[in-house]
Amino acid sequence: MEHNNIRKNDNEVYEIIKREEERKRTTLEMIPSENHTSPAVLEALSSIFNDKYAEGYPGKRYYGGNEHVDEMENLCMERAKELFGVPFCNVQGYSGSPANMAVYFATLSPGEKVMGMHLNAGGHLTHGWKVNFSGTYYDSVFYGVSEEDSLIDYEEVREIAMRERPKLIFAGTTSYPRVLDFERFREIADEVGAYLCADVSHISGLIVAGEHPSPTDHAHIITTTTHKTLRGPRGALIMVTESGMKKDSDLPEKINKAVFPGLQGGPHQHQIAAIAVCLKEAMSDSFKEYGSQVARNARMLSEELSEKGFKVVSGGTDNHLMLLDLKSKDTTGKKAQEFLEKAGIIVNKNAIPFDPLPPATSSGIRLGTPALTTRGMKEEQMKEVATLIDEVIKEPGEKKIADIRSRVKSICEKFPA
Ligand code: DSN
């Protein structure tokens, strides 16, 4: 983007933006929750809708002048409902955490019980973690993965649910590389009378592309951020499914009230415009091809890294991400992240299941293919990237890192962001 007005009025900010553009252009973005959004999404984000206050919902706003805001929000909701096959969607959540908070407000009273995946096994802060609102104001219990294969043991999930009787169960992850069995989660939720919320923030792009089973027929509520595999602006969708409506026909109303006035003030209408643009993009055939390539790339990267002697948690991946267990590599997640960053490969350190190290150090790194795939990279480039990662981890000296940095730059030039 040109940013001519920023350059004219505020050169300091302009220069920082240009440096960030340069960083993105010349590095391999492999954090699985990040992506490169389209210029159309970025244009919508900087549109005139930024200026408008619109507390309330279409047709029921607290301010005047919302004719076009209503049009835009209705369009965005209709697109989300069509794409995910649900009868209700709230598009005002500022991001994933407030969206999940709205689900708590709509389904639980403070002190009631939620069950989610343990953070160290690949869950999310808002699924009950103790330092988060969800573990502070609600009673939380966790399921994890099996020590043997790092997969969710659904029998164990059931046992914990039967014992603890949570009122809300989250099926959702941030670093779980395998398919989630939403049907099984729903059976468990039904046995204890709980709401099932599928938080598909990481995999929503794969779901709409047909690369991961959809939770629509199983969950009562679906939440997702819009900026990960869905490749939109920062933001969130909170959806109620047909079976959510059957369980509680007031759920949409409760969710709307939880978002506003419960949690948020004026919705970010420029963000909603950008979500609408992203949802249209996600309806296209080219997005389906994108989602499928993301998964193919992840499989290839994981296979190549395994062949080079890396331990890939759970033995591989079914989605867009993988976790490398670096315990046998004489390094930590923290060090590996730092060395790779110097070489222009951006990843994040991540706890692996049963990690002996604290999260700030951790024994693993998390790698994903959504952003590389957006740049047009395919299996052949994944082989190259696996070689670069392997070389950095094996020999993180300055000379080697400088060599890898220049090889990274040349891949980036061939595949412009
Ligand atoms: N921070 C996100 C991620 O990286 O997965 C989750 O909120």
Side-chain angles (χ1 to χ4, degrees):
M1 288 177 106
E2 288 298 318
H3 305 112
N4 284 333
N5 290 299
I6 308 180
R7 182 169 49 192
K8 214 162 66 191
N9 297 340
D10 190 338
N11 199 53
E12 231 177 322
V13 166
Y14 176 79
E15 290 298 336
I16 297 172
I17 292 173
K18 289 292 135 182
R19 286 200 286 280
E20 174 63 2
E21 282 180 358
E22 175 70 3
R23 186 192 70 80
K24 278 202 85 169
R25 212 179 2 254
T26 60
T27 56
L28 297 173
E29 181 51 72
M30 298 193 71
I31 295 172
S33 47
E34 296 188 17
N35 215 323
H36 303 282
T37 28
S38 71
V41 165
L42 292 179
E43 277 176 18
L45 265 183
S46 62
S47 69
I48 199 71
F49 282 105
N50 175 70
D51 295 353
K52 195 70 197 94
Y53 256 122
E55 273 105 328
Y57 290 99
K60 287 174 279 177
R61 307 278 185 185
Y62 286 80
Y63 291 76
N66 277 307
E67 182 188 349
H68 305 299
V69 157
D70 280 7
E71 252 182 283
M72 184 66 81
E73 192 165 333
N74 280 326
L75 178 66
C76 186
M77 290 190 292
E78 287 311 314
R79 286 182 179 172
K81 290 188 319 193
E82 186 185 334
L83 195 59
F84 288 89
V86 293
F88 168 82
C89 183
N90 179 303
V91 297
Q92 292 191 2
Y94 294 151
S95 202
S97 296
N100 283 345
M101 201 177 204
V103 173
Y104 283 81
F105 273 35
T107 58
L108 304 184
S109 297
E112 287 191 314
K113 200 175 277 183
V114 60
M115 179 164 105
M117 191 178 207
H118 199 280
L119 196 67
N120 297 350
H124 189 254
L125 283 170
T126 56
H127 299 174
W129 196 237
K130 53 183 181 287
V131 294
N132 183 255
F133 80 88
S134 57
T136 309
Y137 297 106
Y138 299 90
D139 185 11
S140 53
V141 290
F142 299 101
Y143 56 90
V145 290
S146 139
E147 200 153 2
E148 209 174 295
D149 53 14
S150 299
L151 300 179
I152 296 172
D153 174 351
Y154 290 92
E155 211 28 65
E156 190 187 45
V157 178
R158 178 176 178 274
E159 273 166 36
I160 300 168
M162 297 296 276
R163 187 176 66 237
E164 300 286 346
R165 318 291 300 182
K167 199 170 161 195
L168 169 66
I169 297 177
F170 272 95
T173 62
T174 62
S175 56
Y176 186 67
R178 296 303 188 173
V179 163
L180 289 175
D181 188 344
F182 295 119
E183 193 174 355
R184 190 78 182 92
F185 270 114
R186 175 57 186 274
E187 283 165 13
I188 296 166
D190 280 349
E191 276 194 271
V192 297
Y195 285 100
L196 176 64
C197 178
D199 176 350
V200 297
S201 294
H202 262 266
I203 52 173
S204 50
L206 299 182
I207 289 168
V208 303
E211 281 298 315
H212 187 290
S214 167
T216 297
D217 290 338
H218 307 296
H220 299 108
I221 302 167
I222 303 172
T223 56
T224 181
T225 48
T226 45
H227 49 271
K228 298 185 174 89
T229 48
L230 206 52
R231 213 168 52 182
R234 283 174 188 277
L237 307 175
I238 313 170
M239 297 171 265
V240 177
T241 63
E242 291 289 356
S243 68
M245 295 284 205
K246 272 196 208 122
K247 185 167 170 69
D248 179 359
S249 58
D250 291 335
L251 255 185
E253 187 60 19
K254 288 178 182 168
I255 283 171
N256 277 350
K257 279 195 173 143
V259 174
F260 174 82
L263 282 162
Q264 299 186 174
H268 295 173
Q269 295 299 338
H270 58 311
Q271 189 182 36
I272 289 170
I275 293 174
V277 172
C278 129
L279 293 173
K280 180 157 188 206
E281 289 176 2
M283 286 169 176
S284 66
D285 288 342
S286 66
F287 192 86
K288 285 195 177 58
E289 177 45 34
Y290 164 70
S292 150
Q293 188 66 52
V294 166
R296 287 198 296 273
N297 282 351
R299 279 196 295 276
M300 175 57 81
L301 184 64
S302 151
E303 281 163 25
E304 287 290 308
L305 288 165
S306 294
E307 270 183 32
K308 293 181 190 311
F310 282 92
K311 185 171 176 208
V312 181
V313 171
S314 85
T317 179
D318 301 326
N319 56 27
H320 62 303
L321 66 80
M322 69 216 64
L323 258 185
L324 298 188
D325 175 345
L326 301 172
K327 286 204 301 292
S328 63
K329 290 278 179 190
D330 191 30
T331 189
T332 63
K334 183 171 186 285
K335 281 193 209 157
Q337 175 188 316
E338 285 166 8
F339 292 138
L340 287 164
E341 180 163 356
K342 282 189 189 149
I345 301 173
I346 311 300
V347 307
N348 68 280
K349 61 179 174 286
N350 209 100
I352 54 168
F354 309 99
D355 202 324
L357 296 177
T361 314
S362 81
S363 303
I365 51 172
R366 188 179 64 153
L367 304 170
T369 54
L372 299 191
T373 309
T374 295
R375 293 179 88 134
M377 295 186 199
K378 297 215 159 88
E379 287 91 330
E380 196 190 325
Q381 286 73 44
M382 296 306 112
K383 291 184 189 172
E384 220 172 325
V385 170
T387 302
L388 297 177
I389 291 172
D390 182 40
E391 289 188 24
V392 172
I393 304 289
K394 263 200 215 134
E395 199 191 324
E398 264 179 41
K399 197 158 163 263
K400 177 52 103 181
I401 284 186
D403 166 49
I404 305 284
R405 184 76 188 96
S406 78
R407 283 153 69 190
V408 164
K409 276 193 180 150
S410 88
I411 302 179
C412 291
E413 271 160 25
K414 281 189 220 138
F415 295 87

